[in-house]
Amino acid sequence: MMNTPAPVARAFAPDLARGFMLLLIAMANVSWFLYGRDFGMAGAHPLDGTALDRALQAFMMIAVDGRAYPLFAFLFGYGMVQFTRSRIARGIEYREVRRMLRRRHWAMLLAFGLPHAALLFMGDIVGAYGLVGLVLVGIFFDRTDRTLTICVWVLAGLMALFAVFSLVGGIAAAVFMPTGALESADVSRDLTVATESYLASIGGRLMMWASIGVVQGFFSAVPLCILLGWLAARHGVLDDPARHRRLLTRVAVVGIPVGLLGGMPTALTHLGVFGLPSWAFSGVDFVLGAAGALGYVALFGLIAARWQSAPPAVALWIAAVGKRSLTFYLLQSLVFAPLFSAWGFGLGGSVGTAGALGIAVLVWIVSVLLAVLLESRGARGPAEVLLRRLTYGRQRTDAAAR
């Protein structure tokens, strides 16, 4: 059985980070609903726009893109350990908890990820993370800290190699290929958000999700960040952030600047400063974006440590969103898909980056208001309620909820 600290009350820091993460994810996802113009072969942003649009595209590439999903992965991994130790504390046998984790991840893949991708958004991450969770938990969940640490370094080394190869490949492509061949229109959008037939868009979304989901889940920083989440949770780093203030400070001070600097080459390439294809720095983004994501997590751990005893109202509101992250993640797509797609209101064919990001922020603010309402009533989000029922299976819900 994995070694975890004694159970504690629900930690404030992970919920605060999840709530903020949903703002980043809304901003990262909304650009995938734009269409009718040229896009780079890697990245969500158009190759044109107003001066404000272009500035915001650069900001997204530097501070948000490639940072939101590793942040989610870390918190996803952290939550697995929290889930395990809290159920054991309630008297559920470890073998049954493992079965519950397995059911939980299957539910994420089939009950949430698949319908979400089919009906709304080809870039669904819930199913991808459920699939990765099934594999990683089955192989590594009971391994020692030393084994997990070795795996983290191996994965980091592989990501670094990919960064080198992608950069070399981008330089070679710029030298030997015509400029027009370096970028192209994004076919994935033609099959999903740009089609006027909703039924046709379902097939396009499923096709893209089946391929992108696996790549997004396994061939990215996601496995590495999940393993780091396990290690952090085993030592209660976010459960008691005040006790780990020194570690969190180091990670924030190093990780955030490294993450920002790591996104600059991609942003400059997108803006045409470097004559390289947009994917040339994708490997660099994988590696340094993960560092930036960990820096964000550490920053919110430090904020939570400062506010642990008496958090301000706005922090409690954001944490309320984080407690219901699955519900409000799905709500974003429920708004974006019909609003932006050609089969809906078609806003994605005309609005620019600035307008799309403004809508994303507005949707997140509405999520905060809804979360506060649910919190005042002591109610979980509907998606969390369904996931809970699918997770427990035949376990009595009232006993598990004690």
Side-chain angles (χ1 to χ4, degrees), residues 116-171:
H116 181 218
L119 301 177
L120 297 171
F121 182 42
M122 66 175 178
D124 164 79
I125 60 170
V126 176
Y129 286 18
L131 179 60
V132 175
L134 283 169
V135 174
L136 291 186
V137 170
I139 299 174
F140 295 112
F141 200 56
D142 291 329
R143 305 297 180 181
T144 64
D145 287 3
R146 176 181 173 83
T147 299
L148 295 185
T149 302
I150 292 172
C151 291
V152 165
W153 281 110
V154 170
L155 290 172
L158 292 174
M159 289 170 60
L161 285 175
F162 173 71
V164 172
F165 287 137
S166 64
L167 180 57
V168 171
I171 294 172

Side-chain angles (χ1 to χ4, degrees), residues 320-337:
V321 180
K323 291 179 182 178
R324 301 158 181 87
S325 57
L326 179 57
T327 291
F328 291 111
Y329 170 71
L330 298 175
L331 177 66
Q332 292 175 7
S333 297
L334 194 61
V335 175
F336 293 162

